[in-house]
Amino acid sequence: MIDRSAHAAKHLCLGNPFFFFFLTELGLIYIQASVCAAGDSAAYHRSSVYRDDVVIVAAYRTPLCKSKRGGFKDTYADDLLAPVLKALIEKTNLSPSEVGDIVVGTVLAPGSQRASECRMAAFYAGFPETVPIRTVNRQCSSGLQAVADVAAAIKAGFYDIGIGAGLESMTANPMAWEGSVNPRIKTMAQAQNCLLPMGVTSENVAQRFSVTRQEQDQAAVESHRKAAAATASGKFREEIIPVATKIVDPKTGDEKPITISVDDGIRPNASLSDLGKLKPVFKKDGTTTAGNSSQVSDGAGAVLLMKRSVAMQKGLPILGVFRTFAAVGVDPAIMGVGPAVAIPAVVKAAGLELDDIDLFEINEAFASQFVYCRKKLELDPEKINVNGGAMALGHPLGATGARCVATLLHEMKRRGKDCRFGVISMCIGTGMGAAAVFERGDCVDDLSNARKIETHNLLSKDSR
C-alpha cells in the first residue's frame, strides 16, 4: 500500500500538478483538501523550492545621529559603513571571501566618490580584494533596493551569498541640486514637480487628503514615545552596532574619542503642546513642521543574505526570509502616497492579503504621508512602526531601507509565533514607492505554507 497521508499531503502542497491524476490512475479516491495557503485568507504559493529560499541570517545598523550636530558629525561615511559590514562577518563567523557581492544603497554623495568610499569601507571591514562592491540609488528606498538587488541576484544564481547595505552622511553630503536645470522642464508639469521640495509635496498630501495638523503632530509624538520606550527596554541592542569615532570641538579643534551606541534624535518628552508651537516650514499657512517631519540623519545598515541551503549547511540561524519586492510610480506632486500603492502591490505579489501582515515598517518621511497611507490602507496602528519611525529615529536616506530590515526582523524574532509576515515600505522623491515582504525565519519549514490536509477519506476504489 502507498502511504496515503503525510506523503500525499506533502507532495500535493509542494505543487505537483499531476498528483491527483497519479492517485486516480492508481485507483485512489480524491483527497478532500484546501490549497496551500498562508494565514486564513490568501493562497500563498512558493515560487521556488524550499532550500532555494533567499534568507537573511544577520542584519545590523549603526545608531542614527542628527546630521551636523549629532554623534557622527565628524565621522567619515566609510567609517559608518565599515562597522556594520564587519559585524556581519564577525557575528556569523562567515569567511568574507565567500561573499559574492556587496550592494550599497546611497543617495546624496557624488556617485564615483561614494563608490570609492564603499570599496574602502569593505577593506576596513576585512573583505579581501576579490569581493566586489557597487552602489545603487533609488533615493529614499536605496537601502531596501540594495537588499532586493542582492536577493534577486541570489535567485538568479549569480552567487549564493551577498550583502545589501545602506549608507548616508547627510552631514557630509547635504541635499542640493548641482549645476543648471534643463529649461525644457518648463514645458511639462510632471517634470517640474520632480524638483518640488519634499516638504512641499508633504503639504500637497495634507491639503489634498485632509490630513490635519493635529493628526500629524500626534503621529510624531507617538513615534518619539515608541522609540524612547524601545530604547529604554533595550530592544535596539540586538540590531545596533556601536561605532567608535570622534567628536571635534568646533572652537578649539580638539578631538575627543567616543563610542556611539544609541540613536540621538529621540525626544522622550515630545508633546502635542510643544509640537504645536512650531511654525510651518514650507508653506505659510501649512501644517508640515520640523517636528512632524523625518530627521536629517547620518547612519548605515547592512544585511547578510544567502540561499537557504547554504545557511543550513553552515548551521546559521535564519533571521528572516525575503519573499518579494515591488517599486511603483505615483504623481511627483504627492510623492508621499507611494506606500499606499506599493504595499498592496507587493502583498498581492506575495500571494497574501493585508490582513496576513503582522508588522509594518513604513518610513515616516513626513507625518502627513504616513498618516494618509495608514488611513488609506486601513491598517491597524498597533502593527505599524511599533518601535518608532523616522520622525524620532531619523532618515539617513540611503540607509533607511537597511535600517528598517534590521528593525523589522529583530522585532519579528522577539514576537515569535504570533508574528509571521512583515512589510517594509517608503515613499520616494520624484514620485515613487517601494515595498518588500519578509517572513520570520524560524517559522518556515517544508510544509509550513500548507493548511492542514484532511486525508481520512483517501481510500482505494476496491475498498468502497
Side-chain angles (χ1 to χ4, degrees), residues 171-254:
T171 294
N173 308 111
M175 299 178 70
W177 182 274
E178 295 184 8
S180 60
V181 178
N182 187 343
R184 185 181 178 185
I185 195 173
K186 297 177 182 179
T187 66
M188 185 178 293
Q190 283 184 309
Q192 291 179 44
N193 289 340
C194 288
L195 296 184
L196 284 176
M198 296 298 99
V200 172
T201 69
S202 171
E203 293 288 5
N204 290 344
V205 170
Q207 182 176 7
R208 188 176 302 189
F209 302 108
S210 301
V211 182
T212 68
R213 168 71 183 268
Q214 183 169 358
E215 286 179 306
Q216 295 175 59
D217 286 352
Q218 183 62 53
V221 169
E222 285 298 301
S223 185
H224 284 282
R225 181 188 64 79
K226 290 186 285 190
T231 300
S233 64
K235 284 188 175 181
F236 291 140
R237 288 175 189 163
E238 289 183 327
E239 68 189 67
I240 288 181
I241 300 301
V243 177
T245 185
K246 64 183 179 182
I247 288 288
V248 179
D249 187 314
K251 296 181 179 179
T252 66
D254 292 340

Side-chain angles (χ1 to χ4, degrees), residues 16 18 20 28 48 57 111 116 135 151 158 181 199 242-243 251 258 290 340 375 404 415 420:
N16 187 336
F18 302 106
F20 278 130
L28 301 176
S48 63
V57 300
S116 296
T135 61
F158 295 161
V181 178
V243 177
K251 296 181 179 179
I258 58 170
K375 292 167 66 175
C404 287
R415 296 193 174 206
R420 180 172 180 182

Side-chain angles (χ1 to χ4, degrees), residues 118-382:
C118 289
R119 177 73 162 155
M120 291 153 55
F123 287 138
Y124 298 149
F127 287 83
E129 62 186 28
T130 53
V131 176
I133 192 166
R134 70 172 172 90
T135 61
V136 60
N137 185 350
R138 201 195 287 269
Q139 301 201 49
C140 297
S141 71
S142 297
L144 184 61
Q145 185 69 59
V147 173
D149 283 2
V150 170
I154 293 173
K155 282 279 189 184
F158 295 161
Y159 46 81
D160 290 339
I161 302 173
I163 293 173
L167 168 66
E168 209 72 63
S169 172
M170 299 182 79
T171 294
N173 308 111
M175 299 178 70
W177 182 274
E178 295 184 8
S180 60
V181 178
N182 187 343
R184 185 181 178 185
I185 195 173
K186 297 177 182 179
T187 66
M188 185 178 293
Q190 283 184 309
Q192 291 179 44
N193 289 340
C194 288
L195 296 184
L196 284 176
M198 296 298 99
V200 172
T201 69
S202 171
E203 293 288 5
N204 290 344
V205 170
Q207 182 176 7
R208 188 176 302 189
F209 302 108
S210 301
V211 182
T212 68
R213 168 71 183 268
Q214 183 169 358
E215 286 179 306
Q216 295 175 59
D217 286 352
Q218 183 62 53
V221 169
E222 285 298 301
S223 185
H224 284 282
R225 181 188 64 79
K226 290 186 285 190
T231 300
S233 64
K235 284 188 175 181
F236 291 140
R237 288 175 189 163
E238 289 183 327
E239 68 189 67
I240 288 181
I241 300 301
V243 177
T245 185
K246 64 183 179 182
I247 288 288
V248 179
D249 187 314
K251 296 181 179 179
T252 66
D254 292 340
E255 296 184 3
K256 178 184 177 181
I258 58 170
T259 297
I260 307 293
S261 58
V262 295
D263 307 304
D264 70 12
I266 303 169
R267 297 190 293 273
N269 299 319
S271 66
L272 277 176
S273 60
D274 289 339
L275 291 184
K277 299 173 184 177
L278 299 176
K279 294 181 179 180
V281 178
F282 299 96
K283 188 178 178 182
K284 186 176 180 180
D285 57 346
T287 58
T288 299
T289 71
N292 58 36
S293 304
S294 59
Q295 298 188 39
V296 179
S297 308
D298 306 328
V303 181
L304 180 58
L305 303 95
M306 61 184 66
K307 191 180 293 186
R308 182 191 290 275
S309 56
V310 175
M312 293 171 66
Q313 180 185 359
K314 294 181 176 297
L316 292 172
I318 295 171
L319 185 61
V321 185
F322 181 93
R323 284 302 172 206
T324 193
F325 169 84
V328 300
V330 299
D331 181 353
I334 50 171
M335 67 93 199
V337 306
V341 183
I343 290 173
V346 80
V347 168
K348 181 179 180 180
L352 301 170
E353 294 183 3
L354 282 175
D355 287 344
D356 294 317
I357 307 304
D358 301 296
L359 282 180
F360 294 86
E361 282 287 330
I362 301 177
N363 187 45
E364 300 168 351
F366 297 95
S368 62
Q369 57 87 208
F370 172 74
V371 171
Y372 165 77
C373 292
R374 183 183 67 196
K375 292 167 66 175
K376 174 67 175 178
L377 299 178
E378 298 181 342
L379 302 180
D380 182 352
E382 297 299 316

